[in-house]
Amino acid sequence: MKYLVLAACLVAQPALAADRLTVMLDWFVNPDHGPLIIAEKKGYFAAHDLEVEIVAPADPADPPKMAAAGGADIAVSYQPQLHLQVAEGMPLHRVGTLIATPLNCLLVRADGPVRDLSDLKGRKVGFSVAGVEEAMLGAMLGSVGMSRADVELVNVNWSLSPALLSGQVDAVIGAFRNFELNQMTLNGVEGRCFYPEEHGVPPYDELIYVANPDADAEKISRFLAATEEAVQYIVNHPQESWEIFASYAPELNDDLNKMAWRDTLPRFAHSPAALDHGRYARFEAFLAASGLSDGKASVSDLAIDLGFSQ
């Protein structure tokens, strides 16, 4: 009888609540965030005792600020921006990687006059974000013996592919090779990308997870473990993972997102907790040479390796 009473007591005990964790995205939900959506829909977060709230920002400038202030546990951000934010004194660390390759590219019309970077001389180049994009453009032009003075920069206010399609500019820097390139195709015009990492810009992580240095490292480690499982599922089951992702919200199930999913899939970080120290040191030096930072930030100022510390 006493064993039955004990069993009844055990059954009556409430289950321990999962740890809550808030993740602010860099933008509205799109294929770049595939591992987060798959981890939620497949139950990987729950398996690691996490209840994750995924939040799209009202202003894409807000997520790193929210993470720095402790208003979000994790924010999705960009490696190039992290260097500048740390230089400004923002309390942030990279804690993991979401997209492990650059997505940014210099985009031109495939049927246009720009066949080589040197063909940009005297032409108009659209951009959206001053600073890093201008530095990348300068390095790319430098690879063919030119400089930013050889082109006319035009701020197109995030209207990258429309500005190129309308003939307002001859090229745009800051276009994402998995989105704007496909957007061009869907508009009946083929585009061609010149890749920064092939023209003088050191490779970098496009999308990263950032957090306040005082954030709960153990909880974040479980988050990264769950997203790693999600990436493994995506790689092993690309069609099934697309269908799961597309079911997350009706607006995701369209041709552009389907094409972007295909192109983004090989770029997800397979080991999101792992840190490439040399990659961060080289990009810090690149920004210093471009006059955007003093180059004093060490890798430990910028990032932590939770994969190593586990």
Side-chain angles (χ1 to χ4, degrees):
M1 177 64 71
K2 64 181 181 181
Y3 296 110
L4 292 175
V5 172
L6 176 60
C9 290
L10 290 172
V11 170
Q13 292 295 316
L16 293 174
D19 290 322
R20 292 182 59 83
L21 190 146
T22 301
V23 179
M24 285 202 72
L25 304 180
D26 57 305
W27 199 241
F28 54 84
V29 175
N30 63 71
D32 291 344
H33 309 126
L36 290 155
I37 304 306
I38 297 300
E40 179 179 304
K41 299 282 281 184
K42 289 288 292 179
Y44 298 137
F45 287 142
H48 287 274
D49 295 321
L50 291 173
E51 182 182 335
V52 176
E53 181 184 9
I54 299 172
V55 181
D59 183 339
D62 286 344
K65 299 173 187 176
M66 291 290 291
D73 297 292
I74 296 171
V76 174
S77 192
Y78 305 81
Q79 183 190 334
Q81 297 304 322
L82 172 68
H83 291 259
L84 303 183
Q85 289 157 350
V86 169
E88 294 167 358
M90 194 176 290
L92 280 178
H93 270 154
R94 170 268 179 208
V95 294
T97 304
L98 174 54
I99 302 286
T101 76
L103 292 177
N104 196 331
C105 78
L106 190 145
L107 179 63
V108 301
R109 292 177 63 124
D111 62 357
V114 180
R115 314 301 299 175
D116 182 80
L117 286 174
S118 60
D119 295 327
L120 285 170
K121 190 174 181 65
R123 299 187 183 276
K124 296 179 180 179
V125 179
F127 73 98
S128 298
V129 182
V132 172
E133 287 183 4
E134 292 177 289
M136 288 186 182
L137 176 62
M140 295 178 75
L141 294 173
S143 72
V144 292
M146 293 166 55
S147 73
R148 280 179 285 173
D150 291 310
V151 301
E152 179 184 346
L153 288 170
V154 179
N155 191 328
V156 296
N157 296 316
W158 302 104
S159 186
L160 294 168
S161 53
L164 187 57
L165 287 166
S166 68
Q168 180 185 353
V169 294
D170 302 293
V172 291
I173 184 72
F176 271 16
R177 61 194 72 172
N178 57 341
F179 276 95
E180 275 82 7
L181 197 56
N182 287 317
Q183 212 166 37
M184 295 275 288
T185 298
L186 290 172
N187 278 280
V189 178
E190 291 301 320
R192 183 171 71 254
C193 269
F194 294 95
Y195 303 115
E197 67 273 22
E198 295 180 359
H199 296 280
V201 178
Y204 59 92
D205 299 329
E206 189 68 58
L207 287 180
I208 57 175
Y209 303 113
V210 297
N212 185 287
D214 294 328
D216 189 331
E218 191 277 333
K219 191 161 63 172
I220 293 174
S221 291
R222 282 187 276 139
F223 166 83
L224 295 173
T227 59
E228 182 172 352
E229 290 173 21
V231 172
Q232 291 170 353
Y233 180 84
I234 291 169
V235 171
N236 290 336
H237 308 281
Q239 181 58 33
E240 293 91 335
S241 61
W242 157 248
E243 292 169 2
I244 293 169
F245 174 81
S247 72
Y248 185 76
E251 63 270 18
L252 296 176
N253 194 5
D254 63 15
D255 289 339
L256 178 58
N257 281 304
K258 188 171 187 178
M259 294 165 74
W261 180 268
R262 174 202 65 202
D263 291 344
T264 310
L265 190 151
R267 301 182 182 278
F268 292 130
H270 290 198
S271 300
L275 171 65
D276 184 335
H277 289 250
R279 174 170 285 203
Y280 280 72
R282 288 188 293 272
F283 206 83
E284 178 70 10
F286 167 74
L287 292 176
S290 302
L292 293 177
S293 81
D294 58 16
K296 294 180 179 179
S298 66
V299 175
S300 61
D301 293 326
L302 297 162
I304 56 176
D305 189 344
L306 290 176
F308 181 77
S309 64
Q310 286 179 323

